[in-house]
Structure formats: structure tokens, C-alpha cells
Amino acid sequence: MNSAAHDPGRTPLVVRTLARARKLASKREKLGRLIARVRERVESHQRARLILAGAMALGLLAAALKPGLNLAPITLAIFIPPFAWLVILTRNRSRFLARLTRWNRFLERQENRLRGLPSAKSTNLPALSAEGEFVAHDLGLFGTHSLWGLVDETITADGRRELGRAFLSAPATAEEIVVRQNSVKAFRPERWFFTKLTFERDSGDELTFSANEARNSMMQPFVPRWFGAALIAVSILWIVAWTYALQFTSGATLVFMGFITANFALLFQAGPVFERGLSLSHHLGQLSSIFAALERRTKSSSRVRELCPMTSMAGPAREAKRIDRVLGILGVKTNPILHLLLNSLMPWSSIGSWLLERQRRRVHQSLPICMSELAQIEVLGSLVVFDHFQTSLYPTVNSARLSFEGLFHPLIDRDHVIANDFGFGDGISLGLLTGSNMSGKSTFLRAVGLNQILANMGAPVFAEAMRTKPMAVETCIEVSDSLRDGVSYFYAEVRRLKALIDHSKRGDGVLFLIDEIFRGTNNRERHIGSRAVVRALARAQGAQGFVSTHDLELTSLAEAETAVTNLHFRETVEAGKMAFSYRLHPGPSPTTNALRIMEMEGLPVEISS
């Protein structure tokens, strides 16, 4: 199929997504009313607490002024129970309000995505290669209105980096992509778990900071390597001292003094163990709620347990609680008198320091693996939510030729989006796009590229049907001048095209998307260079894609190169104004509109009839 006569109206997928967006809008409206009622109640509880506190203060003042009446116990008995009840009620309803607010944000995010109007927070992604930067910029992969904004439900920096790699990593084999597709489908029953996990997005920056600080806190041991052996020696000295003391043996005082000296010397060598432990506990505590939810889910879901074996076994949230218990032992340091007394009678803080170091080693061994497992869960959860709310059409990835029906750009307002059909026939691998300005060529190129990237990820695509194969996406759509490197627009474009052609010749599967080839040079040289590039790409084994141009003379290449087919977008003039259908048609463009645009904008041009 070269091009199809898809009805210019909305495709079934667009209709479904708009209907779901309206449904979410209705749900959010009801949720908003509930949030307002709960917030009003919380505020009323807070006012009632202030009134009760004021009344209780007046009662206690009256009791102080008239001590003989014994009013203090009566005042406390009257006011403390309702005040405590209001505190508990306010806390519970505040938590409920926070959950409702997060749920509302989640629904708002999905509604905007369904309408093709996503937004995204800043991303902490791995460094991209030069080719990756081109593709990310040309296709709008990252940023405030991007494919990232449609997919991202990650909550940690590791998760964001993992999702970023999935966007731009080399495509897997067809078999691996099918495995990923089936994995997303298999985890559909876990959607509500993934959704609740995304509620932690609100504290994403704090989570990123805590994860990094937790790693830093664990890098260096809390105590010297010889600390364990020294603790054994101090413990033996302690046992000997108490043995002498209980037997009233002479010399017990001397042995006790030796123990106390050795114990405090050991603590001095250990350094600020308690402070470092508090730092580690704090930052692990920020991650604990996420890991606690994940640990609970591993117990009830074999699917999640298979993805997170270390989290299930090591239990980072449980380890964080153990660290807190050990810190409770070391907490006597905050009371100097108790600290001096306990450590004079036994190696209390030395034992606590050794226990804390043991917990540090346990967490140091397991947390990086657990963080990696969490990142995988975040990526999978993002795709499961994407599958539920956006599109659930998975492409067939064992086809040698790219073809699709009802494919559209996911970042255009769904009220105005237009879908297109196309398929490379036997022996055809390059579509030469011509057409008027603003007719939809660039949008079409980006739509194809974005959907291919989704296909490479094992994600569903925005189409009614799609057949493709694993292909790296290479683009040359918006080449910018590089003043820092002293590179002109034309030279930057030449270098980009050279890299693209070299990759296409490797035969490992490339989808190339080139917009307005050689726009930065004169007509004669543009034509010669464009013909050479189109020929090279048409003859590259395993490569297929599209090249758009305003040079209508290039369309004659389809006669000499059997791998080239002509395609075009067009416009019509209605009541003196141009109208665009944004529909893909076979053959070269029969019209141009540059002079007409100049005339409509008031430039002094003459259009011959």
C-alpha cells in the first residue's frame, strides 16, 4: 500500500482518547468538589482546635488564680479528650486530602496527555551522543511538550535515566521487543499499584537528593577496619573487670579503669558514627515509603517479585528500620551524663557503632541493586500507565517494510490531529516528500519517528495498525548553527547527513527522516547534492525512510531509482485563503504556495496566471 484514502475525520483511536479525556475531566470535576469539602473540614477542625486550646488555656489560668477550687484537673479532663480527638481527625483527613490532591494531579496529567497537550518536569538524563542529541531535538523527545511528557511516570533520578536510555538506546531484536510488549501487557493488572507509586513524584527532587546522599553516606566505612577486633578486646576486658568486681577481687578498680580508658579511646577512634548514621537514616527514610510499598507488593504479586528479587529479599525499608533501632542505642550520646554512665559500665556505644557499621555494609551491598530494580519498575510502570490511558495498539515488529494505518503525531491537540496511512511496497525504501509550505511534511516526519521510537521501546503506538522492524531513528530536521564550534548551518547539515548515510550503509536497520534537504545552499548545488544523498540512501541495504524537499526536479529520481517513490502534501484555495488537509498523497506535488504566501502577507510580488 502506498497511500490510503483514510477519512480526514478522526480515527477510532483519536475518538476513544478524546472520549476518555472528557470522562477524566468529569471525574476531576467531581474530585475537585470532594477536595474542596475535605479541605473545608480540615480547616474547620483546625479552627476548633484553636478554640479548644484557647478555652483550655483560660481554664488553666482560672485554676492558677484560684488554686483552692482545684479547677486544673477538671479543665484538663474536659478539654484534652476532644482536643486529642480533633488532632487525630485533622491528621487523618489531612492525609486523605493529600492523597486526593495527588490523585487529582495524576488524572490532570493523563487528561492533558489524552488531548495531546502534555507537560513534563525537568529531566536528569544520561549524556547523549551527538546523534542522540540530534534525534532528541528534532523529534521533541524531551522537554515541556514532548514524548517524555506523554510517557514519564518515573519518581527517581535512576528511573528517569533508565527511561531516557529506553528512548534512545539501540533497538533490540524483534524477539526482544515482543518480550517487552508482552511484559507490559502482563503487568496491566498491576496498574493501580504503579499509579499509587507515582504519587511520590511530588517529592521527586528530594528523592533524587536523598538517593545520591544515601549512596555517598555508604561509600566509606563508619569505623576503621580494625574496629571489630578492638571491640572484642575491649569486651573481654569488660568481662574480666565485672568478674573481678563480682568476686570482690582486689585489683577490680584497676581493671575497670583500664576498660573505661580502652572503651572511650575506641569511641574516640570511631569518630562521628552517630552523626553519619543519622544522615544515612534520614536519606533512607525518604526512600522508605517507596520501598515499603514495593516490598509489600513483592509478597502478593509473583510478577513484581520476579522483577525485584533483591528488594524482596534484602528489604531496604526493613533495613532502614534496623538502622533506626541501632541509632536508638547510640542516641544516648545526646545525653552526656547517661552516655558517660553507660559507657563506664559497658561498651554500649562501641557495640552500637559496630552494629551500625554492619548495617551499613548490608545496605551498601543491596541498595544499589534495589535502586536498579526500582528504576526498572518505574519504566515498566510508565509504560503500563501509558498503555492504559493513551494507546494499547502494539505494532508488529517482524515486517521487513514499514507500513501503518491511521498514524498520527501524539503531541498535537487531538481536536485537530490528522492521521495518515502509508506503506513501503516491495523494493521501495525511500519516500520523497514534496509539497507546499505548512502542508504537514515536517509533522509527518516527526510522527513517523516518534512512533518508531515507541515501537523500539516495546511500547504501544499512535496508530490503528503498524508493521515495522527494529530500526535506529536518524534525523536531519532542525540543524542549528554551532557558533561555539564555528560551524555554519550548511556545514553542520553536511556533517549530519554524512553521519546519517554512514549509519544507513551498515545494514543494521535505520529509519532516516530528512526535512528540506540542503536548504542552506543555492539551487544548483542543492539539486546536485540532494540527488547524491537520495541515491545513496535509496541504495543502502536495511535503511528506509523519508526525505522532504522543495526541489520538484528531484521527483524525476523515481524514474531512475526503483527504491524511490514520490509522495506529497497539498493545499487548496477557498475564498481566497489557503486550506490544508495534511493528508499524504501519492506522486509529486502539483502545486506550490511560496509566492501566494508572500502575496497574502503584502510583499510586492506578481503571480502570473
Side-chain angles (χ1 to χ4, degrees), residues 190 293-305:
E190 304 291 342
L294 192 55
E295 289 166 31
R296 287 193 299 270
R297 198 60 187 170
T298 59
K299 295 178 181 178
S300 58
S301 171
S302 59
R303 296 188 188 93
V304 178
R305 187 164 57 251

Side-chain angles (χ1 to χ4, degrees), residues 562-579:
T562 58
V564 176
T565 184
N566 283 311
L567 306 163
H568 75 276
F569 289 88
R570 66 175 69 152
E571 85 287 342
T572 58
V573 178
E574 300 173 1
K577 295 183 178 180
M578 286 184 298

